[in-house]
């Protein structure tokens, strides 16, 4: 919550007065993981868990539920900021959010499919060349990495959203894009205006700031 949402919320608030009034955009990196944001441990309902925003009540599942909540918060923040800017007549501002995709970065280095028994990733082909044979771990690793985006393509959507303009029809204010630079529809709980307003107000309270849209 603090790293993935509250920090960016405060940073955006502090930088807001310095944005170019002739045209600016804010790109928030969310994740498809937001679809797994449930209302607490064992819950089958999805949405913003207002009773456990900062993991005050519980922190479980090795942090995965908290991560999913934070990615939902990125989306709700994006939409609320765009609404407030529109209401204030700030037509120079575009706020968008996205899922960057699963990318073959070092983030996976401590996982089973990210490391082999020697502490390094070695493909099945490499193992065969070295005469060590294809281990199950390397097979799993190969399958995993073959389905990921390469590092070189990992920021495609971010760059497109940051560099493209409304005139080309590539940006839609307050919307969510996938890793293939496509506009995606969100579930109802990810478009909840009431929860977005609550998150905004609670973020101001917890951060001790007032986010002024002027």
């Amino acid at each position: 919550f603090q790293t993935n949402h509250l920090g960016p919320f405060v940073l955006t608030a502090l930088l807001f007065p310095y944005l170019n009034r002739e045209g600016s955009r804010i790109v928030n990196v969310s994740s498809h993981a937001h679809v797994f944001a449930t209302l607490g441990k064992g819950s089958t309902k999805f949405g913003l868990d207002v009773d456990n925003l900062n993991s005050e009540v519980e922190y479980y599942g090795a942090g995965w539920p908290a991560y999913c909540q934070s990615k939902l918060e990125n989306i709700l923040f994006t939409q609320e900021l765009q609404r407030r800017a529109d209401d204030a007549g700030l037509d120079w501002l575009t706020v968008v959010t996205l899922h960057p995709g699963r990318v073959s970065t070092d983030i996976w280095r401590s996982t089973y499919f990210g490391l082999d028994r020697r502490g390094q990733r070695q493909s099945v082909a490499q193992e065969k060349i070295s005469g060590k044979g294809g281990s199950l771990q390397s097979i799993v690793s190969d399958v995993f990495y073959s389905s990921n985006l390469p590092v070189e393509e990992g920021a495609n959507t971010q760059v497109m959203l940051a560099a493209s303009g409304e005139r080309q029809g590539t940006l839609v204010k307050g919307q969510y894009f996938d890793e293939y630079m496509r506009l995606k529809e969100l579930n109802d709980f990810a478009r909840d205006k009431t929860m977005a307003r609550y998150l905004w107000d609670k973020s101001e309270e917890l951060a001790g700031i007032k986010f002024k849209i002027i």
Side-chain angles (χ1 to χ4, degrees), residues 79-89 197 200-201 213:
Q79 296 172 344
E80 185 64 13
L81 176 53
Q82 187 67 70
R83 274 192 293 269
R84 292 182 182 232
D86 292 346
D87 291 344
R197 286 193 296 270
W200 183 285
D201 294 340
I213 306 295

Side-chain angles (χ1 to χ4, degrees), residues 110-148:
S110 60
T111 63
Y112 176 81
F113 37 78
L115 291 175
D116 66 11
R117 59 183 175 274
R118 293 171 296 280
Q120 297 176 341
R121 180 175 181 270
Q122 187 171 15
S123 69
V124 176
Q126 289 172 320
E127 285 200 338
K128 288 181 177 178
I129 292 173
S130 65
K132 297 183 178 297
S135 68
L136 175 60
Q137 190 172 27
S138 289
I139 293 172
V140 171
S141 180
D142 272 13
V143 172
F144 174 77
Y145 279 97
S146 67
S147 63
N148 286 1

